[in-house]
Amino acid sequence: MAESRVVPPLSFVGYYLLMSFTPVPATVLSFEHARRTVEEQAALIQAGEAESIGLLEAAGRVLAEPVVADRDLPPFPRSTRDGYAVRPVDVAKVPATLDVIGEIKAGEKLERIPSIGKGQAASIMTGAPVPDGADAVVMVEYTAQHGTRVEITRGVTAGENIVPRGAEAREGAPLINRGVRLNEASIALAASAGKSRLLVHKRPRVAVLTTGDEIVAVETIPGPTQIRNSNSYSLAVQIRQAGAEPMLLPIAPDEKQGLRSLIEEGLKADLLLLTGGVSMGRYDLVEQVLAEMQAEFFFTGARIQPGRPVVFGKCGEAKCDEGKGAEGKCGAGTPARNGASAPRLCTYFFGLPGNPVSTMVTFELFVRPMLEALAGMSARKLLFTHAKLKSEIHVKPGLKRFLPAILSGEFEDSEVGLVPWQGSGDIAATARANCYIVVPSDRDQIPAGEFVAVLMR
Ligand code: AMP
Ligand code: MG
């Protein structure tokens, strides 16, 4: 007997898959609410494994163990000046003439350092140990040496021009906490504590999935209506700057099956960033495909410009559950990290709007804190700097705006002005900018001369 069930032709299946609709409840938050939502999720993340690396390679990496002082800092009472080590009582009345009983250079051997008695002084150099008996250093400008005697013309109080032993840190005290991203100062501090190697977190891997039928690879000659993929590159740069490792996936089509298999691939990473396909258009399928995969959405939009359709959620084999303990948590420490084929319990994702400026801005505003948490960094708040507005701004109120701008001026006189642009697709204008002016959502006008908030880039 012939099969009675009607088997639809493939094209129909394709059409059905494209048009079938899994509703995603819209959760559009204010900028501040959306940012706090990301911060709350970031706080649940477990940092990845650690590795030991050389001191210099550790710059930009996140410390996985505290660095402890291996001795008092400074290890001896250190003179901060070139001058004479004296007893303040001997110079209570000036001018006073004292006997010079020696000279103390930086690095002077302990046994060659004389004790200072009544009426005595020792010439001393910056960074040298202050001798017993003396507890102040008179700067060289206030002295005149005559043979073995020195005339002091200005008095000193106890402790002047000396850093006491252990004043910067006591032996055994923590110098740098775990979770700190290492910069030149913390690397210098680790060096001063004798650490030639440091334990740092492994870099999280971030999958980048760009979507859109019109998008072609940079190597391709684009057709008249095609657009070269630029978002994968801006994101890769931002990911690297945030201390993580980008993995660029192939460009996904505006078609559910192809999109879904690339999303599944991307969810094997520690974080998945999608660009494009999150607006309200008929072919904006990212949210629908993720909803079909049982994703959980924290928000599907933020009242900002550029970047309004930004999406944040998590998706995986099982939904993450705080109560499950370490095994159930999202983060770089979940089992999938070691073997790409191992199913991870869940992965956070962002659907970033495809307009290139929106992609860059939403990364700074929302993706960075998640990446930093995956990299093992302690949480930090988003801070804007302030500068004087060069010329008046007019906008429609209702959205918090992050508009490409140039911060200029010199020394204490900084000023900031908008870069003329064609909207959130204008990469050329954004490439000329060095910051974004932050316009609060309740303002429709800001006069020249007012101090405005600035997001640096
Ligand atoms: P969408 O968010 O998919 O509606 O895309 C918004 C705009 O961004 C469209 O003009 C796209 O062509 C453009 N766009 C999307 N993805 C990219 C990309 N990877 N590189 C450059 N432009 C893109
Ligand atoms: Mg698109």
Side-chain angles (χ1 to χ4, degrees):
M1 225 177 87
E3 169 68 67
S4 61
R5 198 156 53 93
V6 178
V7 179
L10 242 187
S11 59
F12 180 78
V13 173
Y15 179 80
Y16 176 78
L17 282 169
L18 178 68
M19 302 316 289
S20 67
F21 187 75
T22 305
V24 181
T27 315
V28 180
L29 306 179
S30 69
F31 163 68
E32 291 76 10
H33 191 174
R35 169 74 193 197
R36 264 183 246 115
T37 302
V38 174
E39 287 173 3
E40 278 162 25
Q41 293 303 314
L44 302 175
I45 282 182
Q46 293 198 323
E49 300 156 26
E51 59 183 332
S52 167
I53 61 173
L55 182 61
L56 262 189
E57 293 146 87
R61 302 293 294 272
V62 179
L63 202 58
E65 59 169 5
V67 170
V68 168
D70 67 330
R71 57 179 186 159
D72 286 346
L73 284 183
F76 50 81
R78 181 180 67 212
S79 174
T80 63
R81 304 283 179 186
D82 294 329
Y84 286 84
V86 299
R87 301 162 4 123
V89 284
D90 290 344
V91 292
K93 276 209 191 105
V94 286
T97 301
L98 305 175
D99 288 327
V100 179
I101 61 164
E103 181 189 77
I104 310 162
K105 296 181 296 194
E108 193 68 83
K109 288 201 176 75
L110 275 182
E111 59 272 18
R112 292 186 45 144
I113 300 174
S115 296
I116 305 298
K118 189 172 184 311
Q120 294 180 331
S123 124
I124 192 166
M125 315 299 149
T126 301
V130 177
D132 287 343
D135 60 357
V137 171
V138 179
M139 285 157 67
V140 73
E141 299 89 296
Y142 302 109
T143 66
Q145 193 161 355
H146 310 288
T148 60
R149 294 174 70 79
V150 65
E151 190 187 42
I152 310 281
T153 56
R154 210 204 80 173
V156 277
T157 53
E160 211 171 312
N161 301 322
I162 299 174
V163 182
R165 175 177 178 154
E168 292 161 4
R170 283 278 173 209
E171 180 182 334
L175 290 177
I176 319 172
N177 293 328
R178 144 180 329 117
V180 166
R181 189 157 185 211
L182 297 156
N183 59 19
E184 73 282 10
S186 40
I187 292 282
L189 192 52
S192 77
K195 299 286 286 185
S196 60
R197 297 187 74 76
L198 289 171
L199 197 66
V200 298
H201 288 290
K202 288 193 173 165
R203 294 179 206 274
R205 292 167 315 130
V206 181
V208 176
L209 178 52
T210 211
T211 73
D213 284 341
E214 79 281 27
I215 308 299
V216 294
V218 64
E219 303 81 11
T220 318
I221 296 174
T225 57
Q226 290 180 320
I227 298 291
R228 290 195 186 96
N229 174 18
S230 62
N231 289 345
S232 294
Y233 296 95
S234 60
L235 285 173
V237 172
Q238 287 173 297
I239 289 166
R240 284 213 180 113
Q241 283 170 349
E245 201 184 300
M247 289 165 42
L248 305 193
L249 293 173
I251 297 164
D254 288 326
E255 170 271 310
K256 279 189 176 178
Q257 271 176 316
L259 180 58
R260 179 169 178 150
S261 67
L262 284 167
I263 288 179
E264 280 166 358
E265 189 60 31
L267 288 170
K268 292 177 189 163
D270 296 317
L271 181 70
L272 168 61
L273 301 184
L274 295 118
T275 84
V278 289
S279 312
M280 298 297 283
R282 190 174 300 151
Y283 297 95
D284 289 324
L285 301 170
V286 165
E287 277 166 80
Q288 279 191 48
V289 169
L290 282 158
E292 284 166 17
M293 295 172 73
Q294 311 302 316
E296 183 181 340
F297 293 90
F298 302 112
F299 55 80
T300 58
R303 288 190 284 279
I304 57 172
Q305 197 251 342
R308 193 174 196 279
V310 61
V311 173
F312 175 44
K314 62 184 176 181
C315 185
E317 294 284 307
K319 283 193 182 176
C320 293
D321 174 358
E322 277 172 68
K324 274 188 199 162
E327 288 291 288
K329 281 198 173 181
C330 290
T334 47
R337 197 181 159 79
N338 293 328
S341 56
R344 49 183 312 124
L345 289 159
C346 85
T347 305
Y348 285 98
F349 63 83
F350 286 91
L352 306 179
N355 265 316
V357 189
S358 310
T359 312
M360 292 182 232
V361 168
T362 48
F363 181 98
E364 285 307 318
L365 299 179
F366 303 116
V367 180
R368 192 177 281 278
M370 283 304 279
L371 259 191
E372 291 182 347
L374 286 163
M377 246 177 94
S378 309
R380 57 175 175 172
K381 295 288 178 191
L382 182 62
L383 269 181
F384 302 133
T385 48
H386 284 80
K388 201 187 275 179
L389 187 61
K390 235 171 158 172
S391 35
E392 192 181 22
I393 294 181
H394 281 277
V395 289
K396 267 200 242 157
L399 299 174
K400 188 153 190 151
R401 293 175 199 262
F402 299 87
L403 306 175
I406 294 177
L407 182 68
S408 58
E410 195 181 20
F411 304 131
E412 285 85 355
D413 290 322
S414 62
E415 50 180 12
V416 68
L418 292 180
V419 172
W421 72 327
Q422 301 301 317
S424 47
D426 193 343
I427 324 178
T430 308
R432 286 192 290 274
N434 60 12
C435 65
Y436 302 94
I437 291 177
V438 185
V439 183
S441 57
D442 58 354
R443 297 288 298 270
D444 59 355
Q445 186 261 0
I446 305 180
E450 189 172 315
F451 272 79
V452 289
V454 173
L455 171 69
M456 294 307 297
R457 53 188 286 241

